[in-house]
Amino acid sequence: MQPIELKEGIYWVGAIDWELRNFHGYLTPRGSTYNAYLIIDEKITLIDTVKHHLYEEMIARIAQIIDPAQINYLVSSHVEMDHSGGIPRLAEVAKNITIVTSSRGETGLKNHYGQKWSFQVVKSGEVLPIGKRSLKFIHTPMVHWPDNMVGYLSAEKILFTSDAFGQHLASAERFDDELPRDIVMEEAKRYYANIVLPHSSQVIKAMQAVSGLEVELIAPSHGLIWRSRIPEIMAAYREWAANRTTETAVIVWDSMWGSTAKIARALQTAFENKGIRARMLPLGVNHISDVMTEVLTARYICVGSPTLNNGMLPTVSSFLTYLKGLAPKERVGLAFGSYGWGGQSISQVEEVLRSCGFELLDKIKVQYVPDQNTLQKITDNLQAKLP
Ligand code: FEO
């Protein structure tokens, strides 16, 4: 339970959630952290707390530096309970604490906890003096909720970014250069695809708002603190937020008796013949949140379902609901599937892809079991339509 000093007088005092495997529907195979940061100055300031069940862990870290009762300011940069869950117990200990937050943060915290805490609302661009340092706040609404804001310490060049630049990654390490690059970037990508993606236009605005700041540390509210790979994660966020894709495909399907799976393989052959890498993601064995991580950078999104009771298989409709909510843009879609008599599922898949704003490449509908000739035609037709 050691705190980690980031710069003189500034500490990571968060908590590590080794057990987390599902964050509101998103699989988190490596767990997560809830990052809280303590600044020792004339006004002792804590930036965010942790999920309620890990409050003791946070307090144990703080107690190694100061008596938690001495904390003057709690900066709530985001109301979601993975960061605000420790506030009620903290406010019982630090009785004179002032909660510094955005106006939407104040509303959100009151609606969550119904407590008469002392609030100080800060506007975007406002600076809070805390002694020899000042904290500047920039509102970043919808990255990830309406209340989000980031904080900046100019002397130490630390940007506290709330949910942005996070990763769900539990580890004994605290900095991005202490774990292999591939793990860190994979978790940052998975996090963007499943949490941040629908808010990409706000991400672009937020990045513009902080673009003039000199930054030596990006301190997010989940996962590792960025100190060595700041240019790389900033470049990745610019690409992801702009919906820039690579010339790759994902083929996502579920199958009842293997016919839709055969079509999936015929599509893969077409992509392969054109030199386009296609990831095969049957929904029976792939979680929708892992599929979304691949969707983040793929241009072609092929989705297949046989018809069951006049509709799609539930696994496919679940994926499409998730996909639509996360709202990737600038994609090319293709619906496919086999059917026995009604065949409604394929049009239903196509309709969702259309409602996502995707350009539609094709709709492939095969009755019962596709024979070799049919599969060859599917391959040839798709190949002819690909660049
Ligand atoms: Fe990590 Fe939107 O909370």
Side-chain angles (χ1 to χ4, degrees):
M1 303 296 172
Q2 294 293 324
I4 304 292
E5 191 166 34
L6 309 183
K7 299 246 183 176
E8 194 181 345
I10 302 168
Y11 300 85
W12 173 86
V13 290
I16 305 173
D17 194 341
W18 301 101
E19 292 173 301
L20 185 81
R21 289 296 178 271
N22 187 316
F23 188 87
H24 54 54
Y26 147 31
L27 288 194
T28 53
R30 291 190 170 101
S32 194
T33 71
Y34 313 108
N35 296 338
Y37 299 98
L38 186 69
I39 305 169
I40 303 299
D41 211 315
E42 285 167 32
K43 296 285 187 186
I44 295 171
T45 302
L46 180 66
I47 299 182
D48 291 318
T49 65
V50 298
K51 220 169 179 177
H52 66 97
H53 73 288
L54 292 170
Y55 170 82
E56 297 291 352
E57 186 175 325
M58 176 190 76
I59 283 294
R61 288 197 165 93
I62 294 172
Q64 294 191 44
I65 306 162
I66 46 124
D67 175 358
Q70 295 180 315
I71 298 172
N72 302 102
Y73 289 134
L74 180 275
V75 173
S76 175
S77 59
H78 184 20
V79 172
E80 195 163 12
M81 287 181 282
D82 46 337
H83 310 296
S84 68
I87 298 177
R89 290 182 67 191
L90 180 69
E92 284 173 15
V93 174
K95 294 194 183 307
N96 296 317
I97 201 164
T98 298
I99 298 176
V100 178
T101 188
S102 64
S103 60
R104 285 168 167 157
E106 180 186 23
T107 305
L109 289 171
K110 284 178 175 169
N111 286 341
H112 273 73
Y113 301 104
Q115 305 251 10
K116 293 193 185 332
W117 294 322
S118 167
F119 285 96
Q120 182 170 336
V121 169
V122 287
K123 295 194 173 91
S124 193
E126 196 169 332
V127 173
L128 178 74
I130 56 173
K132 65 179 190 209
R133 302 180 183 87
S134 293
L135 250 177
K136 180 175 183 174
F137 300 104
I138 298 164
H139 290 192
T140 53
M142 297 315 298
V143 189
H144 156 227
W145 280 14
D147 50 84
N148 282 84
M149 62 182 195
V150 303
Y152 180 64
L153 277 179
S154 57
E156 285 85 2
K157 302 184 173 69
I158 305 177
L159 189 61
F160 300 94
T161 56
S162 190
D163 274 346
F165 304 110
Q167 330 95 51
H168 282 317
L169 175 52
S171 64
E173 295 79 10
R174 293 276 65 79
F175 295 99
D176 63 341
D177 49 25
E178 295 178 311
L179 280 178
R181 175 199 172 276
D182 288 356
I183 292 176
V184 181
M185 291 308 292
E186 178 190 335
E187 291 305 336
K189 181 182 178 187
R190 193 196 306 266
Y191 183 94
Y192 193 97
N194 287 281
I195 300 272
V196 187
L197 178 59
H199 313 299
S200 288
S201 59
Q202 290 91 346
V203 169
I204 292 169
K205 282 186 202 150
M207 288 184 73
Q208 284 165 349
V210 300
S211 63
L213 304 177
E214 275 188 76
V215 178
E216 286 182 4
L217 291 179
I218 290 180
S221 56
H222 295 287
L224 300 169
I225 296 158
W226 302 89
R227 68 177 175 192
S228 296
R229 299 186 175 115
I230 290 175
E232 185 173 3
I233 188 62
M234 294 288 257
Y237 260 57
R238 278 192 288 273
E239 292 289 304
W240 298 333
N243 272 287
R244 273 188 213 112
T245 53
T246 55
E247 198 66 7
T248 54
V250 294
I251 303 177
V252 188
W253 77 92
D254 205 351
S255 200
M256 287 166 68
W257 295 104
S259 294
T260 300
K262 284 182 180 176
I263 304 170
R265 282 190 280 273
L267 297 175
Q268 185 199 20
T269 304
F271 284 113
E272 206 171 53
N273 290 346
K274 295 296 273 190
I276 297 170
R277 197 179 311 129
R279 294 234 182 275
M280 299 291 276
L281 297 164
L283 287 168
V285 291
N286 287 282
H287 193 269
I288 55 176
S289 57
D290 292 334
V291 175
M292 276 312 302
T293 307
E294 299 297 333
V295 166
L296 182 63
T297 46
R299 176 163 159 74
Y300 301 97
I301 316 296
C302 307
V303 182
S305 175
T307 299
L308 172 74
N309 302 329
N310 302 327
M312 294 177 240
L313 286 181
T315 44
V316 180
S317 56
S318 163
F319 166 67
L320 287 172
T321 300
Y322 196 60
L323 174 81
K324 191 173 174 183
L326 289 166
K329 309 266 189 293
E330 312 289 331
R331 304 305 203 274
V332 177
L334 184 153
F336 66 96
S338 81
Y339 68 102
W341 47 101
Q344 297 92 332
S345 60
I346 300 98
S347 297
Q348 291 168 2
V349 170
E350 184 185 50
E351 197 41 50
V352 179
L353 296 178
R354 183 179 287 112
S355 72
C356 290
F358 296 177
E359 173 193 337
L360 294 177
L361 197 59
D362 208 349
K363 177 169 74 171
I364 298 162
K365 193 170 169 180
V366 177
Q367 190 167 28
Y368 290 118
V369 181
D371 60 18
Q372 202 46 47
N373 269 345
T374 307
L375 292 170
Q376 188 61 50
K377 273 187 200 152
I378 289 169
T379 299
D380 293 345
N381 286 343
L382 176 58
Q383 216 171 304
K385 288 178 181 173
L386 290 171

